[in-house]
C-alpha cells in the first residue's frame, strides 16, 4: 500500500470530491483517515524504482550475469574521449549602444528620451512628464523593461511607469496595458504606442507628454542612473558551454518530464503563479486569490496536498519573501519561473521536455475555472504559451532568436541549439483524454480517422513526445490506477469520465513478483469506516452507485491496449514521435511494447517512473531512454545504480531525470545541514561555471536545507548526486542530453552505432562514397550513427565486402563533408 501523499499527480480530484463530501456528516471521518495515511510512505513512492504498481507480471528479468555485463559496458563508455566544450556568448545580454540599433536593442537598457517636436528632453513633471529639460544631463533616465519582442515598460527613478491614458500621459504606480508600449524604429527615432488604447505618446503645445492617435518620434540616448528592475537572481557565473562545432557530441543534463505551462490547466485557477509575466516577477510569482484569504486557510488544495487536510495555513506572500513557497512539498505553486529555468540551463541543463497537461473531468469538477476544459483546446493554449515564453526570453536578450530557450522539433535542430550553448525544449503531451478519445461504457468516443487528424494537428503544433493515458481509462488504453486513500477518489472520477470503475481483477498466471496495477485500499485503520461505508456513501449520493470491492492485491486492470491505441502507436512511429508507456496498465504497457518491438521502433522512453521493472530492460533493448522521477537525491542514486544493470551495451548510455514539477508531483527533500558529504557552496558546475546559493528576492536557497524548492536548484541537486554517488553518476547525468538525441535520431530512422551494434554495420564503400558537400543529416541518414562525433570528425565501424571490419572517418568543414578516409 502506498501513502496518500505520494499520489499527487492529479490531486484536484481530492479537492473535488472532498468538496462534495463537505456537505456530509462523514467528512470529518474522511479527514481523519486521510491524516492517518498522509506521509506514511512518502519516500517509498517518490524514490521507488517504479511509481507504477507492481505485480508478479512486472518482475525484473535481468540476470546477475547480464547486470554485470551492462554495468561494465557503461563504464567502458565513460572511459572514451569526451567532446570539447567551449564557452559561448549565449548568456550575454545584447550590449546597449548610445543609440539603439533596432526596436529590440534597448531591452534592459537605461535611456533618456528627446522629443523631435521641440528637441527637449523628457523629465518627470508632477504626476506626469514634460519635454522641457535644456540638456541631456537633466533628463529622466528610463529603464526599458521588455514585455515582449519590441514592447516595453518605461520605468522611471521614482519606480513609476509612463502611463498613457485616453488624452493624458501620467506616471503610473503599477504596470498595466496602458503602460505597455510597442516601439517602432525609423532610423534613429522611435515611436511609442499603447496597443490597448491605440494611442501613441506625443508632446502637446504645453510641452507635456500627451496621448494622441499618432505618436511623435523620440530620440533615445544611452543614460545612467536607472534603478535596478526587481528580478530573481541566477547566481551562476561563467559563460555557458557549447560545442566546438554544431554537429559534435553534446553534453548536458536532461529533464524528460516537466510541466512548465501547468498554470493554464484544470481551468487555470488551480496553479498559483506562472513561469513569466510581461510585468515581471512581482506579477508572476503571486499566490492564488483563495490562498490569500486568512493566511492560506482558503487554500484547500494546497493544504490537502501538503498536510493531508483541507484545513491549514501558509504565508501567501511570494515575491520577495518566499517564506513558505516555493518548497518541495508545495504542489500548487509555480516552480519553473523563467529565471529559475535559466539557472538550471546555466548550471548545465541542455534538454527540457515540457509536457502539455490536462484532465478534462477534474477541470470540470474544480470550481471557478477561466480556461476551457477541453483537452485539445487546453493543450493548444499551453503550446502557445511555450512560444510566448520563448519570445519573452528572446526579448530580454535583445531580439528574435537571441534567447537561450529554444523550442525544437527534430534532433538535428536540437543538437545545433545545444552546441550553440542554449537549451533545447521539446514539446510533449500527458493528458487523460488524449485527442478527445474518451470511452463511455466501453464505447470509444473517437475513430482512427479522428486520431490521425488530431495527431497531425499535434505534430504540426510541435509535439514530439507523448503518453497515451494518465489517470483514467480511455479509448486507447487502460491505466495503472492508484493505491492508498486517494484511489477511491480517482476511481470515482474515472466513473464520471467513462461510466465505469476500474476493472481490477486478480492478475493472471504466471505471476511475477512486483508486477501489478494499483488498486484502492482493501483495509483501513481500526476505528475508521471501511471504504464501502464512507466512499460508497459519497459515490451513492453523487454518482448513484457504490464503489466496487476488489480482490486482495496483486490486482491488474483488465483493460489493456485497444485497437485504437495500437493504431496511435503506429502513427506516432510514422511521425518519428517519442512514445512513453508511463501510466499504462501492465496489460496495456506489455502490449504497447510488443507493438513497438514488432515495428522495430526505437523511439520509446519512460519519463517519470510510471512504468514497471519488466518494461525498463525492454525500453533499453529497443534503443530507448529512461528518465526516472527525480525525487530525493539519495533515492535517485539508488535508481541510477539499478538502471546501470538494465542498460543495453549496444547503445549510448546517458541518464536523465523526470522532475514532474508543476505536475502536482513532490520534489526532492533536503538531506539536512549536517548530512555527510553535503553540498558546499560555491561549487564547480558542468562546463566550468561556478554555482553559488540561489537568491530569490529576500530568500537564499541551500539544497542541503531547502531541497529542490524550485527548478533553479536542479544543478545543486545534481551536485548532491555527485556527493553521494561519485564522479560516475555525474558523468552519466552529463551524457543524458546526448542519449536523448541519439534515441530521437533512431526514431527518425537513423541506424545505430555499428561499433557497439555490428549487426547494423554499413559497407565501407557506403561511407567512403559520401559526396563532398553532404550535410550532417544526409550523412547520418546514409551512414547511420557514428561511434564518435568529436569536433569536425565522425568515426564509423564499417565492413568490407569480404566481411572485414574497417574504420572510416568523415571530416566536415562548415558542417558539410569535406573528406572521407
Amino acid at each position: 500500500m502506498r501513502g496518500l501523499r505520494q499520489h499527487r499527480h492529479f490531486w484536484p480530484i481530492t479537492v473535488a470530491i472532498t468538496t462534495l463530501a463537505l456537505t456530509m456528516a462523514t467528512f470529518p471521518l474522511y479527514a481523519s483517515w486521510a491524516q492517518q495515511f498522509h506521509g506514511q510512505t512518502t519516500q517509498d513512492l517518490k524514490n521507488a524504482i517504479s511509481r507504477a504498481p507492481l505485480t508478479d507480471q512486472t518482475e525484473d528479468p535481468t540476470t546477475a550475469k547480464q547486470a554485470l555485463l551492462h554495468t561494465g559496458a557503461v563504464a567502458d563508455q565513460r572511459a572514451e574521449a569526451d567532446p570539447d566544450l567551449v564557452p559561448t556568448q549565449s548568456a550575454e545580454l545584447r550590449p546597449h549602444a548610445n543609440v539603439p540599433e533596432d526596436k529590440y536593442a534597448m531591452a534592459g537598457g537605461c535611456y533618456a528620451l528627446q522629443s523631435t517636436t521641440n528637441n527637449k528632453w523628457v523629465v518627470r513633471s508632477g504626476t506626469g512628464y514634460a519635454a522641457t529639460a535644456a540638456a541631456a544631463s537633466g533628463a529622466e533616465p528610463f529603464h526599458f523593461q521588455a514585455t515582449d519582442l519590441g514592447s516595453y515598460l518605461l520605468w522611471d527613478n521614482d519606480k513609476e511607469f509612463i502611463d498613457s491614458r485616453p488624452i493624458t500621459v501620467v506616471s503610473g504606480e503599477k504596470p498595466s496595458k496602458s503602460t505597455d508600449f510597442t516601439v517602432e524604429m525609423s532610423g534613429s527615432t522611435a515611436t511609442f504606442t499603447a496597443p490597448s488604447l491605440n494611442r501613441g505618446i506625443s508632446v502637446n503645445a504645453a510641452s507635456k507628454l500627451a496621448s494622441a492617435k499618432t505618436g511623435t518620434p523620440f530620440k533615445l540616448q544611452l543614460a545612467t542612473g536607472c534603478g535596478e528592475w526587481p528580478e530573481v537572481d541566477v547566481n551562476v557565473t561563467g559563460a555557458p558551454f557549447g560545442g566546438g562545432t554544431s554537429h559534435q557530441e553534446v553534453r548536458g543534463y536532461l529533464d524528460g518530464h516537466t510541466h512548465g505551462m501547468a498554470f493554464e490547466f484544470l481551468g487555470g485557477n488551480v496553479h498559483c503563479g506562472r513561469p513569466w509575466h510581461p510585468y515581471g516577477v512581482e506579477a508572476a510569482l503571486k499566490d492564488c486569490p483563495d490562498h490569500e484569504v486568512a493566511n492560506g486557510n482558503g487554500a484547500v488544495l494546497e493544504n490537502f496536498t501538503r498536510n493531508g487536510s483541507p484545513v491549514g495555513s501558509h504565508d501567501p506572500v511570494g515575491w520577495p519573501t518566499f517564506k513558505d513557497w516555493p518548497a518541495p512539498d508545495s504542489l500548487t505553486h509555480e516552480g519553473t519561473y523563467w529565471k529559475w529555468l535559466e539557472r538550471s540551463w546555466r548550471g548545465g541543463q541542455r534538454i527540457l521536455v515540457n509536457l502539455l497537461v490536462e484532465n478534462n473531468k477534474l477541470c470540470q469538477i474544480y470550481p471557478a475555472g477561466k480556461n476551457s476544459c477541453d483537452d485539445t483546446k487546453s493543450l493548444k493554449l499551453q503550446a502557445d504559451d511555450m512560444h510566448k515564453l520563448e519570445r519573452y526570453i528572446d526579448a530580454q536578450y535583445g531580439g528574435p532568436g537571441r534567447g537561450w530557450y529554444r523550442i525544437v522539433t527534430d534532433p538535428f535542430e536540437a543538437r545545433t541549439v545545444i552546441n550553440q550553448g542554449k537549451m533545447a525544449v521539446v514539446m510533449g503531451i500527458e493528458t487523460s483524454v488524449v485527442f478527445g478519445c474518451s470511452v463511455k461504457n466501453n464505447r470509444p468516443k473517437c475513430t482512427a480517422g479522428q486520431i490521425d487528424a488530431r495527431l497531425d494537428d499535434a505534430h504540426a503544433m510541435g509535439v514530439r513526445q507523448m503518453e497515451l493515458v494518465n489517470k483514467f481509462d480511455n479509448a486507447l488504453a487502460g491505466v495503472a490506477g492508484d493505491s492508498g486513500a486517494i484511489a477511491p477518489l480517482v476511481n470515482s472520477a474515472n466513473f464520471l469520465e467513462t461510466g465505469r470503475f476500474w476493472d481490477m481483477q486478480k492478475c493472471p498466471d504466471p505471476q511475477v513478483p512486483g508486477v501489478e496495477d494499483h488498486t484502492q485500499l482493501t483495509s483501513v485503520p481500526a476505528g475508521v469506516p471501511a471504504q464501502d461505508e464512507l466512499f460508497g456513501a459519497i459515490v451513492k449520493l453523487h454518482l448513484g452507485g457504490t464503489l466496487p470491492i476488489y480482490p486482495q492485491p496483486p490486482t491488474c486492470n483488465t483493460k489493456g491496449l485497444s485497437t485504437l491505441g495500437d493504431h496511435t502507436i503506429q502513427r506516432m512511429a510514422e511521425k518519428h514521435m517519442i512514445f512513453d508507456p508511463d501510466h499504462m496498465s501492465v496489460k496495456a504497457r506489455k502490449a504497447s511494447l510488443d507493438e513497438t518491438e514488432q515495428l522495430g521502433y526505437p523511439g520509446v522512453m519512460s519519463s517519470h517512473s510510471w512504468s514497471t521493472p519488466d518494461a525498463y530492460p525492454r525500453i533499453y533493448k529497443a534503443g530507448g531512454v529512461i528518465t526516472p522521477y527525480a525525487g530525493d537525491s539519495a533515492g535517485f542514486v539508488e535508481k541510477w545504480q539499478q538502471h546501470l544493470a538494465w542498460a543495453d551495451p549496444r547503445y549510448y548510455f546517458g541518464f536523465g531525470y523526470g522532475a514532474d514539477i508543476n505536475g502536482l508531483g513532490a520534489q526532492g527533500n533536503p538531506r539536512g545541514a549536517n548530512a555527510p558529504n553535503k553540498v558546499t557552496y560555491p561549487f564547480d558546475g558542468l562546463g566550468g561555471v561556478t554555482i553559488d546559493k540561489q537568491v530569490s528576492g529576500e530568500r537564499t536557497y541551500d539544497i542541503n536545507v531547502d531541497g529542490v524548492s524550485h527548478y533553479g536548484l536542479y544543478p545543486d541537486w545534481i551536485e548532491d548526486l555527485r556527493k553521494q554517488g561519485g564522479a560516475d553518476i555525474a558523468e552519466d547525468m552529463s551524457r543524458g542530453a546526448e542519449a536523448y538525441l541519439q534515441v530521437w535520431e533512431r526514431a527518425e530512422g537513423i541506424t545505430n552505432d555499428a561499433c557497439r551494434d555490428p549487426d547494423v554495420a554499413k559497407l565501407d564503400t557506403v561511407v567512403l562514397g559520401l559526396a563532398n558537400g553532404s550535410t550532417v543529416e544526409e550523412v547520418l541518414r546514409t551512414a547511420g550513427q557514428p561511434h564518435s562525433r568529436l569536433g569536425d570528425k565522425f568515426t564509423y565501424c564499417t565492413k568490407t565486402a569480404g566481411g572485414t571490419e574497417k574504420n572510416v572517418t568523415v571530416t566536415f568543414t562548415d558542417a558539410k563533408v569535406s573528406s572521407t578516409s
Side-chain angles (χ1 to χ4, degrees):
M1 176 168 41
R2 305 296 185 186
L4 173 65
R5 188 174 183 177
Q6 291 311 300
H7 299 275
R8 294 171 165 177
H9 202 67
F10 274 106
W11 262 104
I13 189 61
T14 303
V15 179
I17 300 183
T18 298
T19 301
L20 298 178
L22 278 169
T23 63
M24 304 172 58
T26 53
F27 176 75
L29 294 173
Y30 173 76
S32 172
W33 184 11
Q35 286 175 330
Q36 291 189 51
F37 279 96
H38 178 72
Q40 179 176 322
T41 55
T42 296
Q43 308 309 316
D44 290 349
L45 192 60
K46 182 160 62 171
N47 300 314
I49 290 292
S50 171
R51 298 168 78 194
L54 306 177
T55 73
D56 288 351
Q57 297 180 50
T58 59
E59 187 177 58
D60 174 14
T62 309
T63 67
K65 183 177 179 180
Q66 290 171 330
L68 186 62
L69 173 66
H70 299 168
T71 302
V74 173
D76 290 342
Q77 289 191 27
R78 293 190 204 108
E80 295 180 348
D82 288 323
D84 290 333
L85 303 181
V86 299
T88 71
Q89 301 300 311
S90 58
E92 297 296 324
L93 298 177
R94 189 171 181 180
H96 298 116
N98 284 334
V99 177
E101 300 169 2
D102 55 44
K103 65 180 180 180
Y104 312 113
M106 62 279 285
C110 184
Y111 286 91
L113 305 180
Q114 183 182 29
S115 169
T116 58
T117 300
N118 60 10
N119 292 323
K120 299 295 185 179
W121 296 90
V122 173
V123 298
R124 182 71 183 264
S125 177
T127 59
Y129 303 91
T132 60
S137 59
E140 176 78 18
F142 291 96
H143 170 84
F144 277 64
Q145 181 59 33
T147 60
D148 195 356
L149 286 168
S151 298
Y152 299 93
L153 304 172
L154 276 63
W155 194 55
D156 67 23
N157 267 357
D158 290 318
K159 298 185 177 181
E160 294 188 343
F161 304 88
I162 293 182
D163 191 342
S164 180
R165 303 297 173 86
I167 297 175
T168 62
V169 168
V170 299
S171 58
E173 295 182 355
K174 299 290 184 181
S176 64
K177 290 182 178 180
S178 60
T179 69
D180 193 353
F181 296 96
T182 59
V183 175
E184 294 297 334
M185 296 287 292
S186 178
S188 61
T189 64
T191 55
F192 299 87
T193 303
S196 63
L197 298 173
N198 195 26
R199 306 280 289 184
I201 300 176
S202 66
V203 177
N204 62 22
S207 294
K208 299 283 188 180
L209 293 195
S211 177
K213 186 174 182 180
T214 302
T216 58
F218 291 83
K219 292 182 179 180
L220 274 64
Q221 175 65 46
L222 193 65
T224 59
C226 283
E228 184 177 355
W229 179 256
E231 189 55 275
V232 163
D233 295 328
V234 173
N235 308 108
V236 178
T237 56
F241 65 86
T245 65
S246 63
H247 45 278
Q248 72 172 47
E249 182 177 336
V250 304
R251 284 291 179 269
Y253 306 130
L254 159 67
D255 178 1
H257 191 112
T258 275
H259 301 288
M261 303 301 145
F263 71 97
E264 300 281 23
F265 89 140
L266 299 178
N269 284 335
V270 171
H271 186 89
C272 308
R274 47 182 291 169
W276 90 102
H277 193 287
Y279 304 154
V281 65
E282 295 181 74
L285 296 180
K286 291 182 62 176
D287 215 336
C288 293
D290 59 334
H291 289 208
E292 294 173 348
V293 177
N295 289 324
N297 278 293
V300 176
L301 179 57
E302 171 72 5
N303 296 333
F304 208 104
T305 58
R306 212 163 185 179
N307 58 45
S309 168
V311 179
S313 64
H314 68 268
D315 185 344
V317 178
W319 173 271
T321 56
F322 296 117
K323 180 181 177 183
D324 286 342
W325 65 270
D329 62 346
S330 179
L331 305 189
T332 65
H333 291 106
E334 179 58 47
T336 61
Y337 182 64
W338 78 279
K339 295 299 283 187
W340 295 332
L341 286 174
E342 179 175 334
R343 175 179 165 89
S344 188
W345 159 65
R346 287 180 184 254
Q349 184 179 351
R350 289 297 179 268
I351 293 182
L352 169 67
V353 181
N354 184 79
L355 297 172
L356 315 175
V357 60
E358 190 52 87
N359 187 300
N360 69 315
K361 186 54 59 180
L362 304 185
C363 176
Q364 291 165 11
I365 294 172
Y366 202 85
K370 59 186 176 61
N371 297 335
S372 171
C373 291
D374 179 87
D375 288 66
T376 301
K377 292 179 180 178
S378 178
L379 302 189
K380 177 62 167 63
L381 175 63
Q382 293 173 48
D384 290 343
D385 284 334
M386 288 179 65
H387 288 284
K388 289 178 182 178
L389 176 58
E390 184 179 54
R391 286 173 56 93
Y392 180 80
I393 295 174
D394 279 358
Q396 310 313 308
Y397 275 77
R402 298 183 68 94
W404 47 266
Y405 182 101
R406 312 310 313 160
I407 299 170
V408 298
T409 55
D410 64 56
F412 319 108
E413 179 186 17
R415 187 177 296 278
T416 298
V417 162
I418 293 170
N419 278 319
Q420 289 171 345
K422 301 185 179 185
M423 186 162 71
V425 181
V426 182
M427 189 182 297
I429 287 177
E430 180 186 42
T431 186
S432 289
V433 188
V434 64
F435 303 148
C437 285
S438 185
V439 60
K440 295 292 185 182
N441 294 313
N442 286 333
R443 292 188 176 184
K445 305 298 287 185
C446 64
T447 65
Q450 290 171 332
I451 289 172
D452 290 346
R454 292 164 186 172
L455 188 62
D456 286 345
D457 290 343
H459 190 272
M461 195 165 66
V463 173
R464 295 298 183 269
Q465 181 177 313
M466 195 171 75
E467 299 174 29
L468 299 194
V469 295
N470 184 236
K471 301 305 281 185
F472 305 152
D473 294 331
N474 63 27
L476 308 183
V479 295
D482 279 282
S483 64
I486 190 178
L489 306 176
V490 180
N491 200 3
S492 298
N494 191 86
F495 181 94
L496 292 172
E497 176 60 36
T498 69
R500 292 176 180 266
F501 297 106
W502 301 323
D503 188 9
M504 298 290 183
Q505 302 296 331
K506 291 294 291 184
C507 295
D509 293 329
Q511 206 146 350
V512 182
V515 181
E516 63 186 87
D517 289 319
H518 285 310
T519 188
Q520 62 194 55
L521 288 169
T522 53
S523 62
V524 297
V528 179
Q531 60 177 27
D532 56 325
E533 295 177 44
L534 177 61
F535 291 103
I538 298 173
V539 174
K540 186 173 183 178
L541 178 64
H542 296 284
L543 304 181
T546 58
L547 283 165
I549 302 300
Y550 293 112
Q552 288 289 333
T555 57
C556 289
N557 192 343
T558 63
K559 186 173 179 60
L561 184 71
S562 72
T563 55
L564 288 174
D566 187 86
H567 175 84
T568 304
I569 293 172
Q570 293 179 40
R571 292 296 179 265
M572 287 180 66
E574 291 172 4
K575 291 182 172 296
H576 317 299
M577 298 170 69
I578 305 296
F579 165 63
D580 183 349
D582 277 10
H583 284 292
M584 282 183 158
S585 67
V586 169
K587 184 177 181 180
R589 186 182 306 107
K590 286 179 177 292
S592 69
L593 293 178
D594 288 344
E595 175 64 25
T596 57
E597 288 167 0
Q598 184 176 350
L599 294 170
Y601 188 61
V604 184
M605 78 175 298
S606 170
S607 66
H608 65 327
S609 298
W610 271 94
S611 288
T612 43
D614 63 311
Y616 296 135
R618 295 181 71 178
I619 293 172
Y620 282 125
K621 187 177 180 180
V625 67
I626 298 173
T627 57
Y629 183 54
D632 299 341
S633 56
F636 192 85
V637 170
E638 294 177 3
K639 295 175 193 175
W640 163 73
Q641 291 167 339
Q642 176 63 67
H643 278 264
L644 293 178
W646 291 328
D648 192 305
R650 295 174 300 164
Y651 300 101
Y652 184 100
F653 182 80
F655 209 51
Y657 59 92
D660 204 10
I661 199 167
N662 290 351
L664 299 178
Q667 299 301 294
N669 286 336
R671 286 198 294 135
N674 298 318
N677 298 321
K678 71 176 185 179
V679 173
T680 57
Y681 293 91
F683 60 87
D684 294 333
L686 189 59
V689 297
T690 300
I691 301 174
D692 211 334
K693 291 181 181 180
Q694 197 279 320
V695 179
S696 295
E698 299 172 11
R699 178 77 182 272
T700 299
Y701 289 92
D702 180 333
I703 192 72
N704 302 296
V705 296
D706 297 306
V708 185
S709 292
H710 58 67
Y711 203 87
L713 293 168
Y714 267 103
D716 313 53
W717 178 80
I718 290 173
E719 173 67 3
D720 203 19
L721 299 182
R722 188 189 68 80
K723 287 286 189 177
Q724 298 171 76
D728 286 351
I729 189 172
E731 173 74 9
D732 289 350
M733 298 297 289
S734 75
R735 293 161 60 92
E738 178 64 33
Y740 187 91
L741 292 185
Q742 292 202 18
V743 171
W744 202 357
E745 287 175 347
R746 290 191 288 271
E748 285 279 342
I750 295 166
T751 56
N752 189 34
D753 165 21
C755 297
R756 298 191 180 100
D757 189 4
D759 290 343
V760 300
K762 307 283 186 179
L763 287 172
D764 61 329
T765 52
V766 172
V767 185
L768 290 169
L770 290 165
N772 286 352
S774 298
T775 65
V776 172
E777 183 177 346
E778 289 170 342
V779 169
L780 291 170
R781 292 193 180 280
T782 300
Q785 293 179 324
H787 183 69
S788 70
R789 318 181 194 211
L790 301 180
D792 263 326
K793 289 181 170 55
F794 285 3
T795 60
Y796 286 91
C797 289
T798 67
K799 60 184 179 183
T800 65
T804 304
E805 295 181 0
K806 182 176 181 179
N807 292 335
V808 176
T809 299
V810 179
T811 302
F812 297 86
T813 301
D814 297 329
K816 300 289 181 67
V817 173
S818 57
S819 67
T820 58
S821 60

